[in-house]
Every structure is written in structure tokens, then in C-alpha cells.
Amino acid sequence: MIKLTNVTKTYRMGDITVRALRGVSLRIDPGEFIAIMGQSGSGKSTLLHLLGLLDKPEGGTFEFLGKDIAGFSDDDLAGLRSETIGFVFQQFHLLSRTSAIDNVSLPLIYRRHSHHAANPAGLLEQVGLGERLTHRPNELSGGQQQRVAIARALVNQPVLLMADEPTGNLDSASGREIMELFQRLNQAGITVIVVTHEPKIAEYARRVIHIEDGQIKSDEVRVPGIASAKAVSQLATASSPEVALPPWQEWSRKFWIHLQQASRALFINKLRTSLSALGIVIGVAAVIAMLALGSGAQSSVSKQMAGLGSNRLVVRPDAQNIGGVRQQTGNVSRLTPKQSEQLTERVANIKGVSPEVRTRVQIVWGGRNANTEAAGATTGYLEVYSAKPAYGRFFTEEENQTRQRLVLLGATVVKSLFGEINPLGETVKINRVPFQVIGILPLRGASGPRDEDDVVVVPLQTAMHRLLGKNYYDLINITAADAQSVNQVQEDVLQLSKSWPKLPGTTEGSYRVDNLASIQQAFTAVTKTLSMLLAAIAAISLIVGGIGIMNIMLVSVAERTREIGLRKAIGARNADIMMQFLIESVVLCLLGGLIGVSFGTIVVLILSKITGWGLGVSVLSVLLACGSSALVGIGFGLWPARQAAQLNPIEALRSE
Ligand code: ADP
Ligand code: MG
């Protein structure tokens, strides 16, 4: 069954080398019950670890079930351990906070075959703990805990049971019970190897091997080991090739188990979980809020821009240099009705032309007065500014031509003059001239520091002749036929303007033609940059959150080193351990992500109230947030998980 020939093992710690085993040759047959005895430090545990495939020898040869294990990988050994060996340790190594039955079931996670597993509840019954299935280790006595550990060792129906000082932490009565249990198992066909330094314990064995300073001193068969038929047949089953589960099935099974375990572990450590996920929560909330804010700002800007007119061009006199001082654009107005007509006649693809004059005015109603901007406009204003009145009506072209004294008020003006009173039909005085209120302009909102609702609109002709007494325009709005022709129209208008009389004091072009579409594009670019900046902030907080996760995962790995050692001893492969910790960190991050999404949504709702932008959280941004938190979980969990996976099982078990 096991054959060691001249096996050696040396430990090196800095300059000191300890030759723990110096040439051990040994043959173990099925059905034996062996006690390995010797003083502390003589190499018993080292030998048992080798026999149990937890470690590889340095020199000599080692055959296990007829195969030389020299060429076996870590995972091959883990597989062999899971299929053939059960371990019992002096410190029991039960998972705390886990019920007896779940502890016993643990090795089942790592089996690769669908048959010959024992029933965990039946096993607990067999070791006399049938009533204690759901008890946790801290609710059991030492002897009971060790019996749980023995049941765990038996769950994969091993052919070999190995125990390192199984009674070392027990009182003598419990110790006796454990040894009697081993005896019964041996009689049932399992090969048992027990390491002990107590002669009393060794008495239960059929064969006693003494070692001293890493060498076998005596090997005495007390009761001939009967290679029972059962032992031989069990051995045959164990070494026969078995049908493994398809890999995907095996991994999905493990995935769910690990998911459950991770969720439970995180649930048990509630405070710690929530604190370590805090960074992710904030990061994800930031992602959600930023995305909503970004798109909200963008849509609000384009809404405002639509109010300023799409496909719109504005012609106005350029700034003048008077005595070398550059004046404000449009300071001196020289746009005539004739020029306005030329535009419609000579430039193609123009849908509408709408001249305007602007001036500051004093407006009075009853005892109240306000200072506001008056725009003298034609009916073209209606389309250029999408200014369909919220209440009342716009004036007609005829009313404009006949210089009617009619006015439409912006919301701010209504508020300051009328308060809650309905202004329609009232007469206000603009610069002491009475005007009848016929409509209220639609709500526009503020663009920057400028209040777009602090305005009144009167007919162009009325403004020019009754308010201002001038016969030229301040600017001419042009609406291009469609978006494609805007640039061409701009070019043509500029050409045309060169034939117009030069304004005094200007140098090159006297007129400028502004394309509002390009301003809109510039605005959009600005908001895009803004959202990107905000996204960068979100990314940084996610990275910081990820580092927090990595930190807590490293702590978790360090805390659970013995658990990892145990899992490996009972057959977990490196990939299993890696998966366990990766899942834990991803679950942690996703949890943070979900909380972050709800938190972010609340923030968005509040921001929406404050800005009045009607912000919303899109499905895409939720998916993006969850996806990025899962990625953070994988990215930052990888290193701790690798640390865990690469632990050496013996050293991990020995750690405190
Ligand atoms: P036993 O179980 O008989 O008490 P061990 O097999 O544990 O003894 O150890 C045998 C010798 O090897 C001891 O001298 C011990 O100090 C040394 N030793 C065991 N494990 C290590 C290790 N990981 N690193 C260095 N020395 C070790
Ligand atoms: Mg030992």
C-alpha cells in the first residue's frame, strides 16, 4: 500500500538545517493499525505528513498505492488525499461557527467523484454524536470535537486514517474512547496510522514503530495485522479509475457552495463587512450620481440651447475700436431693414429672418416698477426662441406693422410686478408709454448668471419708433433651412455683409455672424469633459475602495490560515482556495455595489430636487456600477486569494 525506501527530509531555517528524517524505509499494508512513537522532535509528525501526502520527501523513493509520487503535482496530491486519506489532528481544526454536520460535510466540497461518499449524519451517529448535529464546536467538549473531526475524516470513505497526537488535547477517558473508535474503524477495514508519544495509546495498535532522531529504532508487530478482505476490497475501489464529474458541473457545484459560505461569513461579520465595503459603497454611489448628473447637465444644456434656437445664426455689427478702445460687440447698431431684405433675397437656404432691437427699460404697473430688458421683435421671435406663450397670445405681423402697444412678459417680470395677480389684459407702462399685456413668455430658466426670464417682448416697429426712436436693428436672427446648410448660410451671409457699408472705427469685417450650433457643440463638449472628470473621481474612489477590500481580504486570509491548511489537507486544490477567496471578495464588493446603487439613487433624487433637472438613474448606469464593483472585487481580491492558495498546508496548519 505504502512503501518508503530510504526517505530523507531536511528543514532549513537560515543557517540551521534540521535533518528531520534521515533514511526511513517502511512498508505499510492494508488493514494495519500502526502507532508511530518517539520523543518530541524525533520526526514523527514529519513522517506522518509524508505518509499523508501533505509533503514530499527530499531523498529516497515513495510509492503510494503502487505509484511513485515523485512526479505528482500539488493538485494530484490533493486529489489523492481527498480520495484515500482522512486526517485527524491534535487541535481538531474544526471550523468555528459551523455546525458539526457542516464540519463533517466539508471534505465533500472537494471530492471529484460522484460515488462512495458516506452520509455525514450517519457518521456522526456512528461516533456517538447523533444528537449533536447542529451544535457548534464551542458547544462541544474536547472529546466530542475530536469525534466530529474523525467523522469528517471518514466522510470520503478513506482507506487510510492518519492521526497526529489525536488524544494530546484530551483527558484520558476521552482519549480511550477515541482510541477504541480507531480500533473499531480498523476492524472495519481501514488502515490506521496514529502518531503518539504515550505508550498507553500505542497499546491499541497492532504494530508500533519507534523513531529517534529521524531514524526508525524499532518496528514491532504486537498483533499480526490482518489484511481483512474488506480492507483489500476497499483498496481496490480506491485505486480503480472512477468517473469524474464534468468540469463545468464540478465548478458550478463548488461555486454555489463557496457563494453560500462567503455570504454566511460576511453576514456573521456584519460590522466588519459593512466597514470594509464602505469605500465601494461611496465609489459606486459616486458613479451613479455622476452619471446621472452628467447626462442631466447635458440634457438641460441642450434644452436651454434649443430655447436659443437650433440652426440659428445671428448677424450683428462687430465691436468697434473708438480711439483705440475696443467696444462691446453691437455697441453701435447699424443694421437696416434693407440689409435684412437682402438676406432673404440673396442667400439660399434661409427659412426665416427675424430682426431685433434690445434696450433696457423701466416698466411700471400700479405702484410697482422693475428694470428689465425689452426685445423688439417680429413674429419670427416665436420660432427662433421657441417662445410659444405660456399664457395669452403673441402679437401678429399686422399689429407689428401698425405699431400696436402690446407686450409679452417674462416670468420674472410677472413675479416682480404682479405677484399672484393675473397680468393678462392689464396695462403696464414701459418708459412711461402704456402697453397692454397680451401674453406671458414660456419659462426659460437661468443660463449662467443671466436670468432669461427677466425680459419683455414688444413688436419691433413699436419698439423702434415709440420706445427707442431709431430706424436700425441691433441684430438679425437667421434660421437656416436645416442643420446641414447652417455652415454654408453662415459663409454666404458673411460674404454678403462685406458688401455692406463699413462701420466707422472697425477694421476688417464690420459684421459678425455667430453660429449658435457651434456654441451648443462647445457647451456639449464642456459637459462631456465635466462628466469625464466626475467619472474619474468615481474611479478613484472605487480604486481606494478596492484597496480597502484587498486589505480586509489579506487580514481574512491571515486569520484563516489554519482553515486554509485544513481545507488543503482534506483535498482542496489551489484553485479551490483561490475561488473561495475570490468569491468572497466579489460578493463583498457586489454587496457594497448594491448598497452604493441605492445610496447613489437617493443622492440623485436629492440632486434632482435641488437642480430641477429631472435627473434619473438609468439601467445602464446601474449595470455599469455593479460591473465595476465586481471587477474591483476580482482585481483586488486576486492577490489575497493567490496568497491563500499558495500556502503550504502543513505550515498553514501549524500557524497560530
Ligand atoms: P515530532 O512530531 O516528533 O515532535 P517533528 O516531525 O514535528 O517532530 O519535527 C522534527 C524536527 O524537525 C524537529 O526538530 C523540528 O524542530 C523540525 N521541524 C519540523 N518542522 C519544521 C519546519 N517547518 N521548519 C523547520 N524545522 C522543522
Ligand atoms: Mg509532532
Side-chain angles (χ1 to χ4, degrees), residues 494-516:
L494 204 62
Q495 279 306 319
L496 177 66
S497 77
K498 292 197 173 137
S499 70
W500 293 344
K502 267 213 172 112
L503 298 171
T506 57
T507 44
E508 234 316 278
S510 293
Y511 301 89
R512 46 182 290 166
V513 183
D514 289 325
N515 180 349
L516 290 197

mmCIF file of all heavy atoms in Angstrom, residues 494-516:
data_model
loop_
_atom_site.group_PDB
_atom_site.id
_atom_site.type_symbol
_atom_site.label_atom_id
_atom_site.label_comp_id
_atom_site.label_asym_id
_atom_site.label_seq_id
_atom_site.Cartn_x
_atom_site.Cartn_y
_atom_site.Cartn_z
ATOM 1 N N LEU A 494 -21.760 86.072 -44.363
ATOM 2 C CA LEU A 494 -20.534 86.799 -44.089
ATOM 3 C C LEU A 494 -20.045 87.494 -45.361
ATOM 4 O O LEU A 494 -19.638 88.662 -45.343
ATOM 5 C CB LEU A 494 -19.481 85.820 -43.567
ATOM 6 C CG LEU A 494 -18.373 86.447 -42.717
ATOM 7 C CD1 LEU A 494 -18.958 87.081 -41.471
ATOM 8 C CD2 LEU A 494 -17.353 85.383 -42.330
ATOM 9 N N GLN A 495 -20.103 86.747 -46.493
ATOM 10 C CA GLN A 495 -19.718 87.325 -47.784
ATOM 11 C C GLN A 495 -20.572 88.557 -48.101
ATOM 12 O O GLN A 495 -20.049 89.603 -48.463
ATOM 13 C CB GLN A 495 -19.883 86.275 -48.899
ATOM 14 C CG GLN A 495 -18.728 85.292 -49.022
ATOM 15 C CD GLN A 495 -17.386 86.007 -49.172
ATOM 16 O OE1 GLN A 495 -17.271 87.002 -49.883
ATOM 17 N NE2 GLN A 495 -16.376 85.500 -48.461
ATOM 18 N N LEU A 496 -21.876 88.368 -47.924
ATOM 19 C CA LEU A 496 -22.810 89.452 -48.240
ATOM 20 C C LEU A 496 -22.511 90.683 -47.386
ATOM 21 O O LEU A 496 -22.507 91.814 -47.866
ATOM 22 C CB LEU A 496 -24.250 88.975 -48.003
ATOM 23 C CG LEU A 496 -25.345 90.009 -48.211
ATOM 24 C CD1 LEU A 496 -25.424 90.438 -49.672
ATOM 25 C CD2 LEU A 496 -26.696 89.461 -47.744
ATOM 26 N N SER A 497 -22.201 90.418 -46.102
ATOM 27 C CA SER A 497 -22.007 91.530 -45.168
ATOM 28 C C SER A 497 -20.803 92.381 -45.562
ATOM 29 O O SER A 497 -20.710 93.536 -45.178
ATOM 30 C CB SER A 497 -21.841 91.001 -43.744
ATOM 31 O OG SER A 497 -20.543 90.476 -43.576
ATOM 32 N N LYS A 498 -19.899 91.769 -46.362
ATOM 33 C CA LYS A 498 -18.717 92.545 -46.759
ATOM 34 C C LYS A 498 -19.081 93.655 -47.748
ATOM 35 O O LYS A 498 -18.332 94.616 -47.912
ATOM 36 C CB LYS A 498 -17.661 91.618 -47.348
ATOM 37 C CG LYS A 498 -17.101 90.705 -46.265
ATOM 38 C CD LYS A 498 -15.799 90.056 -46.624
ATOM 39 C CE LYS A 498 -15.262 89.323 -45.402
ATOM 40 N NZ LYS A 498 -14.725 88.011 -45.722
ATOM 41 N N SER A 499 -20.227 93.452 -48.417
ATOM 42 C CA SER A 499 -20.644 94.484 -49.370
ATOM 43 C C SER A 499 -21.396 95.608 -48.666
ATOM 44 O O SER A 499 -21.708 96.627 -49.250
ATOM 45 C CB SER A 499 -21.532 93.858 -50.444
ATOM 46 O OG SER A 499 -22.771 93.495 -49.865
ATOM 47 N N TRP A 500 -21.711 95.423 -47.423
ATOM 48 C CA TRP A 500 -22.433 96.437 -46.662
ATOM 49 C C TRP A 500 -21.492 97.550 -46.244
ATOM 50 O O TRP A 500 -20.291 97.322 -46.092
ATOM 51 C CB TRP A 500 -23.102 95.809 -45.425
ATOM 52 C CG TRP A 500 -24.219 94.851 -45.775
ATOM 53 C CD1 TRP A 500 -24.856 94.743 -46.958
ATOM 54 C CD2 TRP A 500 -24.782 93.884 -44.908
ATOM 55 N NE1 TRP A 500 -25.790 93.771 -46.926
ATOM 56 C CE2 TRP A 500 -25.772 93.211 -45.641
ATOM 57 C CE3 TRP A 500 -24.572 93.515 -43.591
ATOM 58 C CZ2 TRP A 500 -26.535 92.185 -45.127
ATOM 59 C CZ3 TRP A 500 -25.336 92.506 -43.062
ATOM 60 C CH2 TRP A 500 -26.315 91.838 -43.814
ATOM 61 N N PRO A 501 -22.035 98.750 -46.020
ATOM 62 C CA PRO A 501 -21.139 99.869 -45.662
ATOM 63 C C PRO A 501 -20.328 99.567 -44.406
ATOM 64 O O PRO A 501 -20.847 98.978 -43.451
ATOM 65 C CB PRO A 501 -22.121 101.028 -45.429
ATOM 66 C CG PRO A 501 -23.468 100.401 -45.314
ATOM 67 C CD PRO A 501 -23.439 99.145 -46.082
ATOM 68 N N LYS A 502 -19.049 99.963 -44.495
ATOM 69 C CA LYS A 502 -18.176 99.771 -43.338
ATOM 70 C C LYS A 502 -18.640 100.651 -42.196
ATOM 71 O O LYS A 502 -19.063 101.778 -42.396
ATOM 72 C CB LYS A 502 -16.751 100.140 -43.711
ATOM 73 C CG LYS A 502 -15.956 98.956 -44.186
ATOM 74 C CD LYS A 502 -14.476 99.105 -43.789
ATOM 75 C CE LYS A 502 -13.749 97.833 -44.092
ATOM 76 N NZ LYS A 502 -12.784 97.964 -45.169
ATOM 77 N N LEU A 503 -18.557 100.116 -41.010
ATOM 78 C CA LEU A 503 -18.929 100.916 -39.844
ATOM 79 C C LEU A 503 -17.726 101.742 -39.449
ATOM 80 O O LEU A 503 -16.593 101.307 -39.585
ATOM 81 C CB LEU A 503 -19.328 100.006 -38.691
ATOM 82 C CG LEU A 503 -20.530 99.118 -38.960
ATOM 83 C CD1 LEU A 503 -20.689 98.122 -37.847
ATOM 84 C CD2 LEU A 503 -21.778 99.974 -39.087
ATOM 85 N N PRO A 504 -17.960 102.941 -38.944
ATOM 86 C CA PRO A 504 -16.823 103.757 -38.541
ATOM 87 C C PRO A 504 -16.039 103.060 -37.432
ATOM 88 O O PRO A 504 -16.627 102.492 -36.503
ATOM 89 C CB PRO A 504 -17.486 105.053 -38.034
ATOM 90 C CG PRO A 504 -18.908 104.678 -37.743
ATOM 91 C CD PRO A 504 -19.247 103.587 -38.698
ATOM 92 N N GLY A 505 -14.719 103.042 -37.574
ATOM 93 C CA GLY A 505 -13.880 102.533 -36.491
ATOM 94 C C GLY A 505 -13.565 101.053 -36.579
ATOM 95 O O GLY A 505 -12.654 100.580 -35.922
ATOM 96 N N THR A 506 -14.305 100.282 -37.382
ATOM 97 C CA THR A 506 -13.977 98.866 -37.459
ATOM 98 C C THR A 506 -12.905 98.662 -38.509
ATOM 99 O O THR A 506 -12.769 99.469 -39.432
ATOM 100 C CB THR A 506 -15.197 98.019 -37.838
ATOM 101 O OG1 THR A 506 -15.710 98.491 -39.068
ATOM 102 C CG2 THR A 506 -16.266 98.084 -36.762
ATOM 103 N N THR A 507 -12.172 97.580 -38.369
ATOM 104 C CA THR A 507 -11.060 97.351 -39.282
ATOM 105 C C THR A 507 -11.475 96.437 -40.430
ATOM 106 O O THR A 507 -11.881 96.882 -41.485
ATOM 107 C CB THR A 507 -9.855 96.754 -38.533
ATOM 108 O OG1 THR A 507 -10.342 95.733 -37.663
ATOM 109 C CG2 THR A 507 -9.151 97.818 -37.716
ATOM 110 N N GLU A 508 -11.434 95.140 -40.194
ATOM 111 C CA GLU A 508 -11.698 94.201 -41.294
ATOM 112 C C GLU A 508 -13.203 94.086 -41.539
ATOM 113 O O GLU A 508 -13.818 94.995 -42.074
ATOM 114 C CB GLU A 508 -11.097 92.820 -40.943
ATOM 115 C CG GLU A 508 -10.156 92.240 -41.982
ATOM 116 C CD GLU A 508 -10.638 92.361 -43.423
ATOM 117 O OE1 GLU A 508 -11.446 91.492 -43.822
ATOM 118 O OE2 GLU A 508 -10.236 93.290 -44.139
ATOM 119 N N GLY A 509 -13.790 92.979 -41.028
ATOM 120 C CA GLY A 509 -15.225 92.813 -41.233
ATOM 121 C C GLY A 509 -15.987 93.723 -40.276
ATOM 122 O O GLY A 509 -15.638 93.841 -39.094
ATOM 123 N N SER A 510 -16.997 94.381 -40.741
ATOM 124 C CA SER A 510 -17.779 95.239 -39.867
ATOM 125 C C SER A 510 -18.845 94.445 -39.140
ATOM 126 O O SER A 510 -19.382 94.880 -38.146
ATOM 127 C CB SER A 510 -18.466 96.326 -40.680
ATOM 128 O OG SER A 510 -17.467 97.174 -41.198
ATOM 129 N N TYR A 511 -19.158 93.245 -39.693
ATOM 130 C CA TYR A 511 -20.253 92.466 -39.115
ATOM 131 C C TYR A 511 -19.749 91.075 -38.749
ATOM 132 O O TYR A 511 -18.828 90.553 -39.368
ATOM 133 C CB TYR A 511 -21.404 92.347 -40.123
ATOM 134 C CG TYR A 511 -21.923 93.698 -40.523
ATOM 135 C CD1 TYR A 511 -21.372 94.378 -41.601
ATOM 136 C CD2 TYR A 511 -22.950 94.283 -39.794
ATOM 137 C CE1 TYR A 511 -21.829 95.624 -41.957
ATOM 138 C CE2 TYR A 511 -23.419 95.535 -40.147
ATOM 139 C CZ TYR A 511 -22.846 96.202 -41.229
ATOM 140 O OH TYR A 511 -23.309 97.448 -41.556
ATOM 141 N N ARG A 512 -20.366 90.540 -37.748
ATOM 142 C CA ARG A 512 -20.015 89.160 -37.409
ATOM 143 C C ARG A 512 -21.260 88.297 -37.486
ATOM 144 O O ARG A 512 -22.383 88.760 -37.231
ATOM 145 C CB ARG A 512 -19.375 89.048 -36.033
ATOM 146 C CG ARG A 512 -20.112 89.825 -34.947
ATOM 147 C CD ARG A 512 -19.404 89.710 -33.656
ATOM 148 N NE ARG A 512 -19.522 88.348 -33.147
ATOM 149 C CZ ARG A 512 -18.771 87.886 -32.170
ATOM 150 N NH1 ARG A 512 -17.849 88.654 -31.629
ATOM 151 N NH2 ARG A 512 -18.932 86.655 -31.741
ATOM 152 N N VAL A 513 -21.030 87.035 -37.847
ATOM 153 C CA VAL A 513 -22.140 86.088 -37.953
ATOM 154 C C VAL A 513 -21.837 84.941 -36.996
ATOM 155 O O VAL A 513 -20.843 84.236 -37.154
ATOM 156 C CB VAL A 513 -22.275 85.548 -39.393
ATOM 157 C CG1 VAL A 513 -23.478 84.626 -39.485
ATOM 158 C CG2 VAL A 513 -22.385 86.694 -40.380
ATOM 159 N N ASP A 514 -22.643 84.798 -35.957
ATOM 160 C CA ASP A 514 -22.386 83.738 -34.971
ATOM 161 C C ASP A 514 -23.290 82.549 -35.229
ATOM 162 O O ASP A 514 -24.474 82.692 -35.502
ATOM 163 C CB ASP A 514 -22.643 84.257 -33.557
ATOM 164 C CG ASP A 514 -21.577 85.244 -33.148
ATOM 165 O OD1 ASP A 514 -20.410 85.054 -33.561
ATOM 166 O OD2 ASP A 514 -21.904 86.224 -32.436
ATOM 167 N N ASN A 515 -22.670 81.416 -35.140
ATOM 168 C CA ASN A 515 -23.399 80.166 -35.345
ATOM 169 C C ASN A 515 -23.701 79.565 -33.983
ATOM 170 O O ASN A 515 -22.807 79.107 -33.278
ATOM 171 C CB ASN A 515 -22.522 79.231 -36.177
ATOM 172 C CG ASN A 515 -23.180 77.912 -36.436
ATOM 173 O OD1 ASN A 515 -24.206 77.605 -35.845
ATOM 174 N ND2 ASN A 515 -22.584 77.142 -37.326
ATOM 175 N N LEU A 516 -24.946 79.560 -33.575
ATOM 176 C CA LEU A 516 -25.269 79.089 -32.221
ATOM 177 C C LEU A 516 -25.107 77.579 -32.091
ATOM 178 O O LEU A 516 -24.908 77.054 -31.005
ATOM 179 C CB LEU A 516 -26.688 79.503 -31.823
ATOM 180 C CG LEU A 516 -26.855 81.007 -31.595
ATOM 181 C CD1 LEU A 516 -28.124 81.280 -30.836
ATOM 182 C CD2 LEU A 516 -25.673 81.584 -30.840
#
